[in-house]
Amino acid sequence: MARIRVAVNGFGTIGKRVAEAISKQPDMELAGVVKTKPDYVAKYAVSSGIPLYAPSDRLDAFREKGIPVEGSLEDLLEKVDVVVDATPGGVGKEYKHVYERFGVKAIFQGGEKPEVAEVSFNTFCNYEEALGKKSVRVVSCNTTGLLRSICALSKIAKIKKVRATIVRRASDPKEVKRGPVNAIVPNPAKLPSHHAVDVKTVLPSLDIATTAVVVPTTLMHVHIVFAELEEEVTRDDVVSALEQTPRILLADAGLGLASTADLVEYARDLGRKRYDIPELVVWLDSVAVLGGREVIWMQAVHQESIVVPENIDAIRAVMEAAKSAEETIRITDRTLGLMSGRIP
Ligand SMILES: NC(=O)C1=CN([C@@H]2O[C@H](COP(=O)(O)OP(=O)(O)OC[C@H]3O[C@@H](n4cnc5c(N)ncnc54)[C@H](O)[C@@H]3O)[C@@H](O)[C@H]2O)C=CC1
Ligand SMILES: O=C(OP(=O)(O)O)[C@H](O)COP(=O)(O)O
């Protein structure tokens, strides 16, 4: 079968990771990436063998800097089946009509409003809904983390409601202009935070409310989650459900994996490129069940990489190249070297 030809528009934090993940898929071909700025990242793309394109009004800027470009965004869209839009939040919607004009299916990111796409998406919760769609929105990093554990838990019991607090990292490591540097900021102070609203774009009937604060760190987000169930479960049931779910890792604080800094160090020790942790990490020690129906846990989200596997699955979904979540998860996780279960 012919490989799926994919373009990536935007080669920043998410775009560069998704592009590299696409190039590892046996059923996909990375046709090229689009960058607006002729900077060191553009040179990195070229030196990595990634075909580089630019918006037509930016081509001269690249040529002036001596950075070879293959052509314009439009030239690239002519060659592909799917485009992954990884432009900054809110910019993707400006490109929607361009993608439609070229008859190219589009995967948008969580920084776009839900209306940008036919369906908001998480592999573990609603893979089948995205099959054959023209456009899909992969929800944001925090929402992806919440959905992975919530949908794992929903396999053992019906969930009555979820309440979660999100401790958000202030910026990505490469962002120099953002704060706070020395404060904890309710974000937003007026409840709920947008994360609950975003979860409901995938699970509309779930009773969920979230609060969020921003803290001065760049490594990862942390969530403290309370779920009330309709049925009684044991702690062992919950741990076993999490252990058996792909892309969820259980970290033992008692073994020294006690903070986001330790998790990042572990990823470095594994030799993970850019210390990426696309898996959701749940602290095993934190999992508690009160009175049989109330489940509590804490989890960490590596914001720069958690949505990468879901982007790959979304490409397969729109192209109907994998009929089930299990099928795409098997391929994505093997090719990206993703792990599950307890961190040994
Ligand atoms: N960074 C994060 O932690 C996460 C980001 N997201 C979402 O992913 C999307 C992309 O975010 P990031 O990768 O963080 O942004 P970024 O700022 O790191 O990268 C955006 C890229 O798009 C390029 N760009 C800017 N304007 C453009 C335009 N008009 N046309 C084409 N390209 C343009 C930029 O030069 C850059 O290469 C956003 O929707 C964001 O909300 C989702 C999960 C996590
Ligand atoms: O999508 C993200 O966060 P979110 O799930 O809190 O919306 C990314 O971490 C980007 O968030 P930002 O809007 O703080 O750059």
Side-chain angles (χ1 to χ4, degrees):
M1 216 174 78
R3 290 198 292 171
I4 306 166
R5 294 160 304 163
V6 193
V8 176
N9 187 17
F11 195 66
T13 303
I14 302 300
K16 68 170 81 155
R17 288 171 168 82
V18 171
E20 290 178 9
I22 290 166
S23 64
K24 292 182 178 158
Q25 303 309 307
D27 52 349
M28 296 179 199
E29 179 193 330
L30 178 64
V33 303
V34 181
K35 261 202 63 65
T36 47
K37 284 189 221 107
D39 58 7
Y40 76 96
V41 188
K43 289 192 171 192
Y44 166 76
V46 173
S47 65
S48 308
I50 298 173
L52 183 65
Y53 291 76
S56 48
D57 61 349
R58 303 287 301 151
L59 289 170
D60 284 346
F62 281 79
R63 287 177 184 139
E64 275 162 27
K65 286 254 162 76
I67 300 175
V69 271
E70 308 280 334
S72 67
L73 166 69
E74 286 76 8
D75 293 333
L76 178 58
L77 290 178
E78 269 179 3
K79 298 182 190 164
V80 299
D81 307 299
V82 185
V83 59
V84 176
D85 184 288
T87 60
V91 174
K93 71 171 188 304
E94 311 294 336
Y95 283 104
K96 186 175 163 68
H97 70 282
V98 183
Y99 304 148
E100 285 172 350
R101 183 151 49 85
F102 281 83
V104 169
K105 297 194 183 222
I107 313 298
F108 294 97
Q109 306 305 312
E112 301 303 319
K113 295 230 165 71
E115 304 74 61
V116 78
E118 291 173 277
V119 61
S120 288
F121 175 83
N122 179 268
T123 309
F124 294 86
C125 305
N126 69 340
Y127 180 82
E128 280 77 10
E129 273 182 58
L131 284 171
K133 290 282 189 296
K134 288 196 182 72
S135 58
V136 164
R137 170 178 168 267
V138 174
V139 292
S140 79
C141 49
N142 279 310
T143 314
T144 296
L146 285 168
L147 286 168
R148 282 204 197 151
S149 49
I150 289 169
C151 286
L153 190 59
S154 72
K155 290 227 159 134
I156 56 165
K158 188 165 170 18
I159 298 179
K160 191 169 173 196
K161 66 180 177 192
V162 174
R163 303 289 179 256
T165 293
I166 288 139
V167 183
R168 299 181 78 191
R169 64 89 180 96
S171 76
D172 289 342
K174 76 178 168 68
E175 294 175 306
V176 293
K177 289 185 186 155
R178 293 177 60 168
V181 172
N182 183 24
I184 300 172
V185 187
N187 181 256
K190 188 169 160 40
L191 307 182
S193 72
H194 70 276
H195 306 95
V197 180
D198 207 20
V199 166
K200 285 171 82 70
T201 64
V202 176
L203 300 175
S205 57
L206 182 68
D207 177 349
I208 179 168
T210 52
T211 55
V213 294
V214 184
V215 298
T217 177
T218 64
L219 300 177
M220 300 178 84
H221 305 290
V222 167
H223 303 168
I224 303 148
V225 192
F226 296 77
E228 197 180 320
L229 309 180
E230 302 275 12
E231 304 141 59
E232 291 205 0
V233 296
T234 65
R235 182 178 184 274
D236 283 350
D237 294 333
V238 175
V239 170
S240 147
L242 294 170
E243 266 181 322
Q244 285 167 31
T245 305
R247 291 178 209 170
I248 293 184
L249 283 171
L250 290 163
D252 184 348
L255 268 184
L257 290 165
S259 70
T260 54
D262 297 313
L263 297 176
V264 163
E265 185 66 6
Y266 176 63
R268 287 186 175 124
D269 289 343
L270 289 180
R272 289 267 181 106
K273 188 167 184 181
R274 307 186 177 100
Y275 68 74
D276 282 353
I277 311 175
E279 299 91 347
L280 172 72
V281 183
V282 175
W283 272 289
L284 183 57
D285 322 57
S286 74
V287 179
V289 176
L290 307 181
R293 292 185 189 214
E294 197 179 344
V295 186
I296 309 173
W297 70 96
M298 286 192 262
Q299 59 184 33
V301 168
H302 183 234
Q303 74 279 355
E304 296 172 284
S305 64
I306 192 168
V307 298
V308 172
E310 265 75 356
N311 269 275
I312 298 298
D313 299 333
I315 295 168
R316 280 199 190 96
V318 295
M319 295 302 293
E320 298 183 86
K323 294 279 182 238
S324 67
E326 292 70 28
E327 191 183 339
T328 183
I329 288 167
R330 238 189 341 268
I331 308 168
T332 305
D333 292 13
R334 176 177 50 79
T335 52
L336 301 186
L338 303 187
M339 306 188 300
S340 60
R342 297 184 192 213
I343 296 179

